[in-house]
mmCIF file with all atom_site columns, all heavy atoms in Angstrom:
data_model
loop_
_atom_site.group_PDB
_atom_site.id
_atom_site.type_symbol
_atom_site.label_atom_id
_atom_site.label_alt_id
_atom_site.label_comp_id
_atom_site.label_asym_id
_atom_site.label_entity_id
_atom_site.label_seq_id
_atom_site.pdbx_PDB_ins_code
_atom_site.Cartn_x
_atom_site.Cartn_y
_atom_site.Cartn_z
_atom_site.occupancy
_atom_site.B_iso_or_equiv
_atom_site.pdbx_formal_charge
_atom_site.auth_seq_id
_atom_site.auth_comp_id
_atom_site.auth_asym_id
_atom_site.auth_atom_id
_atom_site.pdbx_PDB_model_num
ATOM 1  N N   . SER B 1 176 ? 29.844 -9.105  36.212 1.00 0.00 ? 176 SER B N   1
ATOM 2  C CA  . SER B 1 176 ? 31.137 -9.631  35.914 1.00 0.00 ? 176 SER B CA  1
ATOM 3  C C   . SER B 1 176 ? 31.020 -10.535 34.658 1.00 0.00 ? 176 SER B C   1
ATOM 4  O O   . SER B 1 176 ? 29.973 -11.052 34.416 1.00 0.00 ? 176 SER B O   1
ATOM 5  C CB  . SER B 1 176 ? 31.733 -10.361 37.066 1.00 0.00 ? 176 SER B CB  1
ATOM 6  O OG  . SER B 1 176 ? 31.038 -11.655 37.189 1.00 0.00 ? 176 SER B OG  1
ATOM 7  N N   . ALA B 1 177 ? 32.200 -10.684 33.920 1.00 0.00 ? 177 ALA B N   1
ATOM 8  C CA  . ALA B 1 177 ? 32.195 -11.457 32.732 1.00 0.00 ? 177 ALA B CA  1
ATOM 9  C C   . ALA B 1 177 ? 31.849 -12.864 33.063 1.00 0.00 ? 177 ALA B C   1
ATOM 10 O O   . ALA B 1 177 ? 31.128 -13.537 32.265 1.00 0.00 ? 177 ALA B O   1
ATOM 11 C CB  . ALA B 1 177 ? 33.493 -11.300 32.098 1.00 0.00 ? 177 ALA B CB  1
ATOM 12 N N   . ILE B 1 178 ? 32.321 -13.402 34.135 1.00 0.00 ? 178 ILE B N   1
ATOM 13 C CA  . ILE B 1 178 ? 32.002 -14.781 34.476 1.00 0.00 ? 178 ILE B CA  1
ATOM 14 C C   . ILE B 1 178 ? 30.542 -15.048 34.734 1.00 0.00 ? 178 ILE B C   1
ATOM 15 O O   . ILE B 1 178 ? 29.962 -16.014 34.269 1.00 0.00 ? 178 ILE B O   1
ATOM 16 C CB  . ILE B 1 178 ? 32.779 -15.165 35.838 1.00 0.00 ? 178 ILE B CB  1
ATOM 17 C CG1 . ILE B 1 178 ? 34.267 -15.220 35.542 1.00 0.00 ? 178 ILE B CG1 1
ATOM 18 C CG2 . ILE B 1 178 ? 32.245 -16.439 36.412 1.00 0.00 ? 178 ILE B CG2 1
ATOM 19 C CD1 . ILE B 1 178 ? 35.053 -15.975 36.569 1.00 0.00 ? 178 ILE B CD1 1
ATOM 20 N N   . LEU B 1 179 ? 29.921 -14.050 35.440 1.00 0.00 ? 179 LEU B N   1
ATOM 21 C CA  . LEU B 1 179 ? 28.478 -14.184 35.717 1.00 0.00 ? 179 LEU B CA  1
ATOM 22 C C   . LEU B 1 179 ? 27.698 -14.077 34.329 1.00 0.00 ? 179 LEU B C   1
ATOM 23 O O   . LEU B 1 179 ? 26.753 -14.777 34.099 1.00 0.00 ? 179 LEU B O   1
ATOM 24 C CB  . LEU B 1 179 ? 27.994 -13.073 36.713 1.00 0.00 ? 179 LEU B CB  1
ATOM 25 C CG  . LEU B 1 179 ? 26.948 -13.502 37.682 1.00 0.00 ? 179 LEU B CG  1
ATOM 26 C CD1 . LEU B 1 179 ? 27.259 -14.766 38.322 1.00 0.00 ? 179 LEU B CD1 1
ATOM 27 C CD2 . LEU B 1 179 ? 26.822 -12.351 38.695 1.00 0.00 ? 179 LEU B CD2 1
ATOM 28 N N   . ALA B 1 180 ? 28.120 -13.113 33.567 1.00 0.00 ? 180 ALA B N   1
ATOM 29 C CA  . ALA B 1 180 ? 27.514 -12.957 32.267 1.00 0.00 ? 180 ALA B CA  1
ATOM 30 C C   . ALA B 1 180 ? 27.521 -14.221 31.411 1.00 0.00 ? 180 ALA B C   1
ATOM 31 O O   . ALA B 1 180 ? 26.480 -14.639 30.882 1.00 0.00 ? 180 ALA B O   1
ATOM 32 C CB  . ALA B 1 180 ? 28.194 -11.825 31.415 1.00 0.00 ? 180 ALA B CB  1
ATOM 33 N N   . VAL B 1 181 ? 28.660 -14.909 31.375 1.00 0.00 ? 181 VAL B N   1
ATOM 34 C CA  . VAL B 1 181 ? 28.750 -16.161 30.646 1.00 0.00 ? 181 VAL B CA  1
ATOM 35 C C   . VAL B 1 181 ? 27.874 -17.184 31.273 1.00 0.00 ? 181 VAL B C   1
ATOM 36 O O   . VAL B 1 181 ? 27.205 -18.027 30.595 1.00 0.00 ? 181 VAL B O   1
ATOM 37 C CB  . VAL B 1 181 ? 30.266 -16.560 30.502 1.00 0.00 ? 181 VAL B CB  1
ATOM 38 C CG1 . VAL B 1 181 ? 30.271 -17.980 29.897 1.00 0.00 ? 181 VAL B CG1 1
ATOM 39 C CG2 . VAL B 1 181 ? 31.080 -15.567 29.651 1.00 0.00 ? 181 VAL B CG2 1
ATOM 40 N N   . ALA B 1 182 ? 27.885 -17.259 32.613 1.00 0.00 ? 182 ALA B N   1
ATOM 41 C CA  . ALA B 1 182 ? 27.085 -18.242 33.336 1.00 0.00 ? 182 ALA B CA  1
ATOM 42 C C   . ALA B 1 182 ? 25.583 -18.016 32.994 1.00 0.00 ? 182 ALA B C   1
ATOM 43 O O   . ALA B 1 182 ? 24.834 -19.058 32.770 1.00 0.00 ? 182 ALA B O   1
ATOM 44 C CB  . ALA B 1 182 ? 27.317 -18.188 34.803 1.00 0.00 ? 182 ALA B CB  1
ATOM 45 N N   . TYR B 1 183 ? 25.175 -16.754 33.039 1.00 0.00 ? 183 TYR B N   1
ATOM 46 C CA  . TYR B 1 183 ? 23.772 -16.540 32.719 1.00 0.00 ? 183 TYR B CA  1
ATOM 47 C C   . TYR B 1 183 ? 23.444 -16.909 31.263 1.00 0.00 ? 183 TYR B C   1
ATOM 48 O O   . TYR B 1 183 ? 22.434 -17.550 31.019 1.00 0.00 ? 183 TYR B O   1
ATOM 49 C CB  . TYR B 1 183 ? 23.476 -14.985 32.870 1.00 0.00 ? 183 TYR B CB  1
ATOM 50 C CG  . TYR B 1 183 ? 23.369 -14.513 34.285 1.00 0.00 ? 183 TYR B CG  1
ATOM 51 C CD1 . TYR B 1 183 ? 23.209 -13.149 34.557 1.00 0.00 ? 183 TYR B CD1 1
ATOM 52 C CD2 . TYR B 1 183 ? 23.363 -15.354 35.337 1.00 0.00 ? 183 TYR B CD2 1
ATOM 53 C CE1 . TYR B 1 183 ? 23.192 -12.688 35.893 1.00 0.00 ? 183 TYR B CE1 1
ATOM 54 C CE2 . TYR B 1 183 ? 23.371 -14.928 36.694 1.00 0.00 ? 183 TYR B CE2 1
ATOM 55 C CZ  . TYR B 1 183 ? 23.267 -13.591 36.897 1.00 0.00 ? 183 TYR B CZ  1
ATOM 56 O OH  . TYR B 1 183 ? 23.153 -13.116 38.196 1.00 0.00 ? 183 TYR B OH  1
ATOM 57 N N   . ALA B 1 184 ? 24.339 -16.538 30.412 1.00 0.00 ? 184 ALA B N   1
ATOM 58 C CA  . ALA B 1 184 ? 24.106 -16.831 28.932 1.00 0.00 ? 184 ALA B CA  1
ATOM 59 C C   . ALA B 1 184 ? 24.002 -18.337 28.735 1.00 0.00 ? 184 ALA B C   1
ATOM 60 O O   . ALA B 1 184 ? 23.193 -18.868 27.898 1.00 0.00 ? 184 ALA B O   1
ATOM 61 C CB  . ALA B 1 184 ? 25.250 -16.282 28.089 1.00 0.00 ? 184 ALA B CB  1
ATOM 62 N N   . GLN B 1 185 ? 24.847 -19.051 29.439 1.00 0.00 ? 185 GLN B N   1
ATOM 63 C CA  . GLN B 1 185 ? 24.859 -20.519 29.263 1.00 0.00 ? 185 GLN B CA  1
ATOM 64 C C   . GLN B 1 185 ? 23.498 -21.093 29.710 1.00 0.00 ? 185 GLN B C   1
ATOM 65 O O   . GLN B 1 185 ? 22.908 -21.919 29.036 1.00 0.00 ? 185 GLN B O   1
ATOM 66 C CB  . GLN B 1 185 ? 25.893 -20.993 30.256 1.00 0.00 ? 185 GLN B CB  1
ATOM 67 C CG  . GLN B 1 185 ? 26.580 -22.279 30.002 1.00 0.00 ? 185 GLN B CG  1
ATOM 68 C CD  . GLN B 1 185 ? 27.514 -22.472 31.160 1.00 0.00 ? 185 GLN B CD  1
ATOM 69 O OE1 . GLN B 1 185 ? 28.251 -21.547 31.562 1.00 0.00 ? 185 GLN B OE1 1
ATOM 70 N NE2 . GLN B 1 185 ? 27.550 -23.741 31.720 1.00 0.00 ? 185 GLN B NE2 1
ATOM 71 N N   . GLN B 1 186 ? 22.962 -20.565 30.779 1.00 0.00 ? 186 GLN B N   1
ATOM 72 C CA  . GLN B 1 186 ? 21.588 -20.982 31.228 1.00 0.00 ? 186 GLN B CA  1
ATOM 73 C C   . GLN B 1 186 ? 20.559 -20.678 30.151 1.00 0.00 ? 186 GLN B C   1
ATOM 74 O O   . GLN B 1 186 ? 19.618 -21.505 29.960 1.00 0.00 ? 186 GLN B O   1
ATOM 75 C CB  . GLN B 1 186 ? 21.289 -20.423 32.579 1.00 0.00 ? 186 GLN B CB  1
ATOM 76 C CG  . GLN B 1 186 ? 22.280 -20.892 33.726 1.00 0.00 ? 186 GLN B CG  1
ATOM 77 C CD  . GLN B 1 186 ? 21.708 -20.370 35.088 1.00 0.00 ? 186 GLN B CD  1
ATOM 78 O OE1 . GLN B 1 186 ? 20.625 -20.625 35.455 1.00 0.00 ? 186 GLN B OE1 1
ATOM 79 N NE2 . GLN B 1 186 ? 22.579 -19.650 35.778 1.00 0.00 ? 186 GLN B NE2 1
ATOM 80 N N   . ILE B 1 187 ? 20.574 -19.488 29.696 1.00 0.00 ? 187 ILE B N   1
ATOM 81 C CA  . ILE B 1 187 ? 19.634 -19.042 28.706 1.00 0.00 ? 187 ILE B CA  1
ATOM 82 C C   . ILE B 1 187 ? 19.711 -19.939 27.503 1.00 0.00 ? 187 ILE B C   1
ATOM 83 O O   . ILE B 1 187 ? 18.733 -20.458 26.938 1.00 0.00 ? 187 ILE B O   1
ATOM 84 C CB  . ILE B 1 187 ? 19.878 -17.595 28.333 1.00 0.00 ? 187 ILE B CB  1
ATOM 85 C CG1 . ILE B 1 187 ? 19.757 -16.667 29.490 1.00 0.00 ? 187 ILE B CG1 1
ATOM 86 C CG2 . ILE B 1 187 ? 18.816 -17.182 27.220 1.00 0.00 ? 187 ILE B CG2 1
ATOM 87 C CD1 . ILE B 1 187 ? 20.299 -15.241 29.243 1.00 0.00 ? 187 ILE B CD1 1
#
Side-chain angles (χ1 to χ4, degrees):
Chain B
S176 76
I178 289 198
L179 217 47
V181 172
Y183 287 173
Q185 206 181 317
Q186 296 187 55
I187 301 165

